[in-house]
Amino acid sequence: MPSYTAPAKDIQFILHDVLNVTESGIPGYEELAQDFTAAVIDEAGKLASEVLAPLNAVGDKEGCRLENGIVYTPEGFKEAFDRVREGGWNGLDLPPEYGGQGLPYLIGTAVGEIFVSANMAFNTYQGLTHGAIGAILAHGTDEQKATYLPKMVSLDWTGTMNLTEPHAGTDLGIMRTKAEPQGDGTYSITGQKIFISAGDHDLSENVIHLVLAKAPGGGEGTKGISLFIVPKFLVMENGSLGRRNAVSVGKIEDKMGIHGSATCVMNYDGATGYLLGELHGGMKAMFTMMNEARLGVGLQGYAVAEAAYQNAVAYAKDRLQGRDVTGAKNPDGPADPIIVHPDVRRNLLDQKCFVEGARAFTYWGASLIDKARRADDAAAEGLISLLTPVIKGFLTDKGFEATVGAQQVYGGHGYIEEWGMSQFARDARIPMIYEGANGVQALDLVGRKLAADGGKHVMAFFEIVKTFTRENDGDEALKAGFLDPLKAASKDLQAASMFFVQEGMKNPNAALAGSYDFMHLMGHVCLGLMWARMARAAMAALAAGAPDRPFHEAKIATGRYYMARQLPATKMHLARIQSGAEPVMALDEVDF
């Protein structure tokens, strides 16, 4: 059975050496002293490795089951959920007035990574609840907040997000779920929603569904959509639970992975719903929390890869096959461990440089969300809106790739279920699809985010890269291995942006055909920036006589590997983008 240990040292390095959180000027960050964050990460790590990780294979094997209208989660999930609830983990970064601890979102992100690495399927139950809480916080009335949030923050009740229908996924404007106004101010919700993660289960007393539906008078398309709170059990005026609402589970989906997460078909048969936010303002309300939700999915991409990587490293150090071509490294044994072989090293380094770069990128994104919220910083809001599709799309694509790479280290054993690598690969596949498939993320990036506010956010990103390289240009140790490759990659990204400006207006397909490559090109530049920042921090630590020299030296070497072996992919993506739409659109439909 695979094991998992929280990468506490690397998390602390990013928080304190790279992001320098206590001196960042973001309100609340001054309280994030190293001793404090270390204690939080340590406790989360213990829960993850001792409770959640051992249930990962259990959840995969047993899955969830629907019996007589009741959804049962795998053995051990209820007890583990109680541990998470008792520890107050869901409320870590939620408002104290509703029972939360009020810490920055960044700390919730770090803990979320640890829990996802240990057991991604299990984490959907509190993860979806956290997203629903965010929507109610942003758009609920004082009465709605008082009614639902304390119980949801404590995880006595959980939450869901209901968007997709059998015929309406990306195009939500054609949804059919209806909301008919009633005389008492409530709405009667009728329709069917699919792919509802954590849609129902036996872990909490109540499930609070947030449901998109069309109310009369809103017109066609997304303009007619409103958002409703639809509880599984109606809540009485005194806060107690009343009758069962007219909402039921049609079935549990039989999925490729995350079997421990109950992905449900939800049927609403005249269920009582309560308007959340403005009438016909459902899309605005639902997408208020989209940066946070999509960052959370991007996190899943590298968090599962982290767990797979840890096990692949252990296997590579233990598995004896062949001899080192430069001379035996295990002369007393029948063969050398496979980690001596250059191609195995390449594979492991591909994983390592991705995971560590992705972690830094995601934490930077989380800090921008904190800055936007806590300091009311519009520039931070614009920048994270630009970066969100990159975090979600690039990190989940590359996360799956890294996870498959970890499976490859095992050879044939990686394909056998008992080793657990197959589960990591299957679980890592879904983040590329849900919360907006990655092709849609690329279209969002190129079609909306680049031009937003006159393009000032992408220009701000270029300025961040330019400022970093200019400020550190005199550092010869950093220049050749990090700054020069970063400059070259940034120029590729600027050239791709200019191509879209010049060609996109004449032929929109020229931009859209290159959107996926642009998302990956920008992702590589973002990780290149992160690795340059991490290298600078590691070099500074070594110069200051940091006690853990091997850690910092390995960090620099890993960064050099990324800059030399991964970052040059920007040139390939640029060449594809500049080929335009013609190669993509050349075939007639009948020729496919």
Side-chain angles (χ1 to χ4, degrees):
M1 179 184 297
S3 62
Y4 168 73
T5 302
K9 186 181 295 185
D10 200 53
I11 290 173
Q12 287 287 86
F13 172 74
I14 295 171
L15 293 178
H16 299 286
D17 293 57
V18 180
L19 296 178
N20 200 11
V21 288
T22 57
E23 298 178 24
S24 65
I26 299 174
Y29 275 39
E30 68 278 0
E31 300 176 4
L32 302 180
Q34 290 203 35
D35 289 348
F36 175 74
T37 57
V40 173
I41 298 305
D42 183 58
E43 286 303 311
K46 288 178 182 177
L47 180 61
S49 60
E50 297 173 6
V51 178
L52 304 185
L55 292 174
N56 199 34
V58 174
D60 185 58
K61 185 176 181 179
E62 291 188 11
C64 300
R65 67 185 194 279
L66 176 63
E67 295 180 359
N68 300 318
I70 300 173
V71 175
Y72 295 94
T73 53
E75 183 178 356
F77 271 44
K78 183 72 166 66
E79 293 76 13
F81 198 76
D82 289 343
R83 290 281 298 273
V84 172
R85 175 169 43 233
E86 292 161 5
W89 291 104
N90 187 56
L92 201 65
D93 58 342
L94 294 173
E97 56 263 41
Y98 301 111
Q101 299 176 47
L103 292 172
Y105 173 66
L106 174 60
I107 299 304
T109 299
V111 169
E113 176 200 324
I114 292 169
F115 288 171
V116 169
S117 289
N119 194 325
M120 177 177 161
F122 176 89
N123 200 63
T124 59
Y125 297 99
Q126 63 262 30
L128 270 295
T129 302
H130 202 283
I133 288 170
I136 296 174
L137 272 172
H139 300 284
T141 64
D142 290 342
E143 182 181 359
Q144 288 173 335
K145 292 176 186 178
T147 298
Y148 299 105
L149 292 184
K151 291 286 191 179
M152 294 175 74
V153 170
S154 68
L155 288 181
D156 290 322
W157 300 350
T158 55
T160 71
M161 311 287 271
N162 286 234
L163 290 78
T164 307
E165 299 181 7
H167 62 285
T170 302
D171 188 0
L172 291 172
I174 60 174
M175 70 171 55
R176 297 171 184 159
T177 299
K178 300 295 183 184
E180 294 294 335
Q182 306 298 293
D184 59 358
T186 65
Y187 288 77
S188 177
I189 311 297
T190 301
Q192 184 181 79
K193 298 290 185 176
I194 64 170
F195 304 156
I196 308 307
S197 300
D200 198 55
H201 49 81
D202 57 353
L203 304 179
S204 63
E205 300 170 354
N206 202 2
V207 182
I208 311 303
H209 301 286
L210 300 191
V211 183
L212 287 178
K214 288 192 172 181
E220 296 299 316
T222 57
K223 293 180 180 179
I225 295 174
S226 300
L227 183 62
F228 299 89
I229 297 173
V230 186
K232 176 180 176 180
F233 291 99
L234 297 177
V235 182
M236 310 301 287
E237 288 188 10
N238 64 2
S240 64
L241 297 182
R243 65 176 175 82
R244 174 75 182 253
N245 208 349
V247 53
S248 61
V249 179
K251 71 170 183 175
I252 299 174
E253 301 287 4
D254 184 10
K255 308 185 298 295
M256 175 180 174
I258 58 168
H259 296 153
S261 176
T263 305
C264 300
V265 173
M266 303 299 301
N267 295 320
Y268 295 88
D269 301 301
T272 299
Y274 308 88
L275 180 67
L276 179 60
E278 299 177 1
L279 185 65
H280 308 133
M283 293 302 292
K284 176 184 176 182
M286 183 66 83
F287 281 94
T288 295
M289 304 309 295
M290 200 51 69
N291 285 343
E292 180 180 324
R294 287 178 171 167
L295 183 142
V297 175
L299 178 151
Q300 291 176 348
Y302 80 83
V304 176
E306 165 69 40
Y309 165 74
Q310 288 186 16
N311 287 276
V313 169
Y315 184 85
K317 291 179 178 179
D318 184 67
R319 176 70 167 172
L320 303 180
Q321 293 285 285
R323 289 294 188 189
D324 188 331
V325 294
T326 64
K329 296 297 186 291
N330 180 34
D332 296 331
D336 290 333
I338 62 173
I339 199 168
V340 305
H341 303 306
D343 192 62
V344 174
R345 292 285 186 101
R346 173 204 57 78
N347 189 349
L348 291 173
L349 271 167
D350 283 347
Q351 299 165 50
K352 179 178 173 63
C353 73
F354 162 72
V355 168
E356 293 178 11
R359 177 177 296 118
F361 184 25
T362 302
Y363 287 14
W364 179 44
S367 74
L368 289 172
I369 290 176
D370 276 329
K371 190 174 184 179
R373 291 179 185 168
R374 290 171 171 255
D376 196 24
D377 191 311
E381 179 68 37
L383 184 56
I384 188 57
S385 293
L386 170 72
L387 296 176
T388 292
V390 184
I391 292 172
K392 195 282 183 184
F394 180 70
L395 297 191
T396 58
D397 276 352
K398 303 300 284 188
F400 177 69
E401 182 181 305
T403 303
V404 171
Q407 184 185 31
Q408 186 73 13
V409 171
Y410 281 69
H413 293 299
Y415 204 65
I416 304 300
E417 291 292 341
E418 68 181 88
W419 288 86
M421 303 308 286
S422 171
Q423 182 189 350
F424 288 136
R426 288 183 282 103
D427 287 355
R429 186 63 184 86
I430 185 59
M432 300 163 71
I433 298 173
Y434 60 16
E435 207 62 59
N438 286 355
V440 176
Q441 301 300 319
L443 295 178
D444 178 46
L445 174 63
V446 170
R448 294 177 62 242
K449 299 297 175 61
L450 286 184
D453 297 322
K456 73 176 184 179
H457 304 303
V458 72
M459 295 306 296
F461 174 77
F462 288 136
E463 187 59 34
I464 288 171
V465 176
K466 186 184 299 182
T467 299
F468 180 86
T469 57
R470 183 173 59 244
E471 289 176 348
N472 295 279
D473 206 42
D475 187 337
E476 292 302 320
L478 199 62
K479 190 174 187 303
F482 293 92
L483 299 184
D484 290 346
L486 179 58
K487 287 179 185 177
S490 181
K491 287 180 181 178
D492 289 340
L493 184 62
Q494 292 176 62
S497 301
M498 186 58 64
F499 177 83
F500 289 155
V501 170
Q502 295 172 343
E503 300 295 327
M505 295 298 291
K506 295 183 291 185
N507 179 9
N509 279 343
L512 299 183
S515 61
Y516 212 93
D517 279 284
F518 187 88
M519 180 177 73
H520 274 248
L521 198 168
M522 191 167 185
H524 277 297
V525 174
C526 288
L527 260 63
L529 176 62
M530 293 302 104
W531 271 114
R533 286 178 171 176
M534 287 190 284
R536 181 181 65 175
M539 290 175 183
L542 288 172
D548 194 353
R549 291 190 63 85
F551 172 83
H552 293 100
E553 289 170 348
K555 183 67 67 174
I556 295 167
T558 305
R560 290 187 186 280
Y561 178 90
Y562 184 86
M563 306 305 271
R565 301 278 302 215
Q566 295 292 324
L567 195 55
T570 60
K571 299 192 181 307
M572 173 192 71
H573 292 300
L574 176 61
R576 289 175 175 175
I577 290 166
Q578 292 177 334
S579 72
E582 197 280 329
V584 176
M585 307 302 293
L587 287 183
D588 290 331
E589 291 180 18
V590 296
D591 294 324
F592 281 93

